[in-house]
Amino acid sequence: MRDLPLPLALTARLSPVLVLACAGWALTSGPAASSDPGHKSAQRSQDARSPQDAGAASAPGPSAAAKTFTTAPAPCAALAEKTITSLVPGAKTAGKEIPSTDRSVRRTCSWNALKGYDYRWLDVTFEIMDSQAEAQKSYTERTTDKSGGGAVPGLGDAAYSVVNLTTEDKQQTREGLVLVRVSNALVSVDYNGSDFETKKAPGTDEINKGAIKAAREAVAALEDGRAKS
């Protein structure tokens, strides 16, 4: 069998680069005690607080907690070689990192190959947010936008997967998306495939399981530091 050229829609495929804005915050102390004699009673009540009460009042809130992850890891080192060869037959296991405007907050690695008539594409992206709250907000917005999927139990703090089928010029492509939140980081996987001989797409189960497998490895790499910067 001879290799066929990729459809224009696939060769023109671009990976978006997201520039994340970093926002800070400040903690302020409570109001200063008034020297007005009319406020002496309130001042005595404030002075009588226990050390535990004082500590609780000065403790930073959840939004001020230190970030669990401060930089995006190297995405091309996130997956095992056997996983890449299994999900993207014929692809170079080293992958190709997509240029980013700020590699400390967003990094993506891509693998793709056409073996015979079977085409597969896999992207793994790490994004670092300023806080858990910001990561949760982005996670909620993106999973709401990609409706029709479901939760993935036991993966990160929250995980969601969805599979969609598209058809262009009678050629089917099935795409699986997995988004995972781990503290203040987001891990996303995009896995899709086509058969250019039959013009059919791989099954939903194959694409969904492949995307989830890649997501589990990427999350493990993020958490244990195997994907080094």
Side-chain angles (χ1 to χ4, degrees):
M1 292 187 295
R2 61 187 181 84
D3 291 351
L4 297 183
L6 298 182
L8 180 60
L10 291 175
T11 56
R13 187 178 184 277
L14 299 177
S15 297
V17 175
L18 175 66
V19 179
L20 302 176
C22 298
W25 59 83
L27 297 178
T28 59
S29 60
S34 172
S35 59
D36 190 332
H39 293 279
K40 288 183 178 180
S41 177
Q43 179 63 46
R44 285 195 298 270
S45 175
Q46 184 178 8
D47 292 342
R49 290 182 304 171
S50 68
Q52 291 83 354
D53 292 337
S58 61
S63 62
K67 294 190 294 185
T68 302
F69 304 102
T70 58
T71 187
C76 293
L79 305 184
E81 288 189 2
K82 63 179 182 180
T83 298
I84 298 167
T85 56
S86 172
L87 297 180
V88 193
K92 295 180 179 180
T93 56
K96 179 181 180 181
E97 184 161 356
I98 306 303
S100 173
T101 54
D102 190 343
R103 295 172 78 247
S104 67
V105 296
R106 179 183 173 95
R107 297 180 71 177
T108 298
C109 189
S110 185
W111 298 264
N112 64 87
L114 178 66
K115 186 172 184 180
Y117 292 94
D118 288 328
Y119 176 77
R120 295 292 184 275
W121 185 298
L122 174 66
D123 285 350
V124 173
T125 301
F126 293 101
E127 298 174 67
I128 306 300
M129 305 291 185
D130 262 354
S131 66
Q132 293 186 30
E134 185 179 338
Q136 180 60 51
K137 179 181 178 183
S138 179
Y139 174 87
T140 300
E141 290 175 347
R142 290 159 67 173
T143 54
T144 299
D145 183 58
K146 298 290 184 180
S147 60
V152 182
L155 181 56
D157 295 320
Y160 178 87
S161 70
V162 62
V163 178
N164 292 307
L165 177 67
T166 58
T167 303
E168 184 176 348
D169 296 330
K170 298 182 180 181
Q171 174 65 60
Q172 293 183 344
T173 299
R174 200 176 305 273
E175 179 182 36
L177 299 171
V178 177
L179 181 65
V180 187
R181 183 184 71 81
V182 187
S183 186
N184 65 303
L186 292 178
V187 179
S188 57
V189 169
D190 184 340
Y191 180 49
N192 63 75
S194 302
D195 186 320
F196 295 145
E197 182 175 33
T198 66
K199 292 190 177 296
K200 302 295 184 181
T204 299
D205 197 50
E206 176 186 343
I207 293 297
N208 190 48
K209 286 184 176 179
I212 292 174
K213 177 179 176 61
R216 290 191 185 279
E217 288 194 19
V219 168
L222 173 71
E223 291 178 329
D224 67 20
R226 284 187 288 110
K228 299 185 182 299
S229 301

